[in-house]
């Protein structure tokens, strides 16, 4: 499998974690969202992903999957061990709710595309972008902090889709120096997850396309 990824993308980070948890080998093809206006906007990448976003997952048969949650659903159905969702319908709904708070509510408001529009089209400076991001991350985290009960992961003794989505979003919060003291449960889950090799190997800092200068903050 080929993962079209940007090291700093939290959506790509989710897929890296899922691939690692499933112990599936993959090749990373870096798609720089910042260089020269963004490699994702090139005709070459548009032929891979018409939406011109990351991640995309190329399968051995030539099919290409888009959207991180759809990719993770495919991986969980195609490679069921270890499962990323509980079997119980109620527990499954709770896991999906936390995942969707992140993927549908928090992430769209502080991803590179939205922030770049605020900066380059509407004239906002980086400090204002960071304030914007912290507000929406905080609003989502307040709900998640009430919904989870670490044991040691978001919903029990095994990591689920909720953990896969939460850890990359915490990384985004840390990248913009957002205080997390009011979210002790979320921080406890992050620590438990990062102790697992599958999560540790997926970190932005250790990806093949990570710049030697580290993880930049701006857009």
């Amino acid at each position: 499998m080929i993962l079209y990824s940007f090291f700093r993308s939290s959506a790509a980070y989710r897929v890296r974690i899922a691939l690692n948890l499933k112990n599936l080998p993959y090749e990373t093809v870096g798609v720089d969202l910042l260089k020269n206006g963004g490699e994702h906007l090139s005709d070459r990448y548009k032929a891979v992903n018409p939406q011109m976003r990351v991640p995309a997952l190329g399968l051995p048969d030539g099919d290409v999957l888009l959207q991180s949650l759809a990719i993770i659903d495919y991986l969980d159905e195609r490679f069921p061990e270890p499962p990323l969702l509980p079997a119980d319908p109620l527990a499954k709904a709770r896991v999906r709710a936390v995942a969707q708070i992140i993927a549908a509510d928090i992430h769209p408001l502080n991803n590179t595309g939205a922030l770049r529009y605020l900066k380059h089209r509407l004239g906002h400076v980086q400090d204002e972008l960071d304030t914007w991001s912290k507000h929406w991350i905080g609003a989502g985290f307040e709900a998640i902090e009430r919904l989870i009960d670490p044991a040691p992961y978001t919903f029990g003794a095994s990591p689920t889709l909720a953990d896969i989505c939460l850890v990359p979003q915490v990384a985004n919060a840390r990248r913009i120096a957002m205080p997390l003291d009011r979210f002790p449960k979320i921080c406890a889950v992050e620590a438990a997850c990062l102790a697992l090799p599958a999560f540790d190997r997926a970190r932005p800092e250790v990806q093949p396309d990570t710049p030697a200068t580290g993880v930049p903050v701006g857009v």
Side-chain angles (χ1 to χ4, degrees):
M1 288 184 280
I2 298 174
L3 178 63
Y4 296 88
S5 176
F6 180 53
F7 71 99
R8 206 183 74 179
S9 162
S10 61
Y13 192 171
R14 297 170 199 153
V15 176
R16 294 196 300 264
I17 295 168
L19 286 164
N20 292 344
L21 284 169
K22 300 289 186 181
N23 199 28
L24 297 171
Y26 63 94
E27 174 189 348
T28 297
V29 173
V31 181
D32 196 322
L33 303 186
L34 304 178
K35 184 179 179 181
N36 298 326
E39 294 177 347
H40 60 300
L41 302 178
S42 68
D43 289 339
R44 181 177 180 181
Y45 187 64
K46 188 175 182 180
V48 174
N49 181 353
Q51 196 186 13
M52 297 180 288
R53 295 192 175 192
V54 295
L57 185 68
L59 303 180
D61 63 4
D63 282 329
V64 178
L65 304 180
L66 313 181
Q67 288 290 333
S68 64
L69 296 191
I71 293 169
I72 294 168
D73 279 346
Y74 168 83
L75 294 174
D76 206 28
E77 292 178 7
R78 177 68 179 80
F79 307 97
E81 293 298 328
L84 303 179
L85 288 167
D88 176 73
L90 181 59
K92 186 181 296 184
R94 287 172 173 159
V95 167
R96 282 181 165 151
V98 168
Q100 289 175 20
I101 288 171
I102 296 162
D105 294 337
I106 300 175
H107 179 233
L109 292 169
N110 65 83
N111 70 2
T112 300
L115 295 179
R116 180 171 281 178
Y117 189 89
L118 287 171
K119 183 174 184 178
H120 298 295
R121 292 295 187 93
L122 301 183
H124 291 277
V125 299
Q126 188 64 46
D127 284 349
E128 291 173 325
L129 302 188
D130 291 347
T131 298
W132 166 277
S133 293
K134 290 172 184 177
H135 171 78
W136 294 113
I137 294 171
F141 277 11
E142 286 175 4
I144 292 170
E145 183 74 10
R146 294 171 65 90
L147 291 170
I148 65 175
D149 187 16
Y153 308 107
T154 49
F155 290 103
S158 301
T160 65
L161 179 64
D163 303 278
I164 289 171
C165 290
L166 182 58
V167 168
Q169 191 58 65
V170 175
N172 278 352
R174 292 192 185 283
R175 181 168 53 82
I176 59 173
M178 176 178 170
L180 297 174
D181 297 352
R182 59 195 172 114
F183 306 118
K185 292 181 182 179
I186 289 174
C187 291
V189 166
E190 180 202 29
C193 288
L194 290 177
L196 297 175
F199 283 80
D200 182 61
R201 295 198 311 270
R203 290 182 297 111
E205 299 92 330
V206 297
Q207 299 314 301
D209 60 323
T210 304
T213 53
V215 181
V217 173
V219 297

